[in-house]
Amino acid sequence: MGAQSLWLVPPADHPIHNVLSNLITTQIPSLPGITPPPPNFPPHITLTTGIPLDLEDPQRWLDDMDLGNATQTDVRLLQLDSDDHYFKRVTLRVEMAGVQALASRVRKAKANLIGKPIKDADEEGKTFSPHLSLM
C-alpha cells in the first residue's frame, strides 16, 4: 500500500517561495543535459513519510496535531548537495536545529496514528536529514 508524506512549505506570499519555485520549475529544468525534464513540485521540506493513504479524515488529523510553536520554525538553508537518490538529486541542506522540534512532533503524531510506539518515531528521527529538493 502506498503512503503520503507531510511537508513543510513556505507560505505562497513569502519571497523565498517564488525564488525556490522558479529554480524548481524553470531554472534547473532549462540547464543543458537535464533530460527528461524533472517533475514540478512546490518547494518543501519533508518532515515525515509513511502516512497511510486511507485516512478517514486527513484534515482532522492535521488540525488535531500538536505542532507546538510551528509558526516560529526557523528554516536555514545551508549548502547545495547532490545525491544519486532520486528524491535527493539536487537539494539544499537545511540546518537541523531549526526544524528538528517540528519534525519530531510530526513523527510522534504519525506513530500514534499508525499504532507504533513513540520509540519508533525517535528511531526515525536518527536518520532524518532535512533538505529542500530542487530536482
Side-chain angles (χ1 to χ4, degrees):
M1 180 201 284
Q4 304 175 75
S5 298
L6 188 60
W7 294 351
L8 177 63
V9 179
D13 62 349
H14 193 284
I16 195 74
H17 189 279
N18 290 335
V19 170
L20 293 170
S21 292
N22 185 44
L23 280 171
I24 293 165
T25 62
T26 306
Q27 298 299 316
I28 292 174
S30 69
L31 293 172
I34 305 293
T35 56
N40 288 334
F41 50 86
H44 66 278
I45 299 167
T46 302
L47 297 174
T48 193
T49 60
I51 300 166
L53 290 173
D54 60 352
L55 287 179
E56 185 174 315
D57 190 349
Q59 188 60 55
R60 181 172 177 202
W61 178 68
L62 290 170
D63 292 343
D64 290 347
M65 193 180 304
D66 175 14
L67 296 177
N69 204 3
T71 59
Q72 299 303 315
T73 299
D74 184 22
V75 176
R76 294 180 187 259
L77 303 175
L78 299 175
Q79 68 190 45
L80 189 64
D81 282 337
S82 64
D83 193 304
D84 290 336
H85 187 269
Y86 181 77
F87 294 109
K88 292 184 178 179
R89 181 126 343 123
V90 179
T91 65
L92 288 170
R93 188 176 302 168
V94 174
E95 185 177 78
M96 176 71 85
V99 296
Q100 190 169 22
L102 177 61
S104 177
R105 286 176 180 272
V106 168
R107 287 191 303 271
K108 288 175 180 176
K110 179 189 72 175
N112 186 50
L113 172 74
I114 62 177
K116 297 275 186 175
I118 295 300
K119 69 179 173 94
D120 286 7
D122 293 336
E123 284 300 311
E124 181 184 339
K126 291 178 182 175
T127 60
F128 179 58
S129 175
H131 63 278
L132 192 144
S133 296
L134 297 174
M135 184 175 117

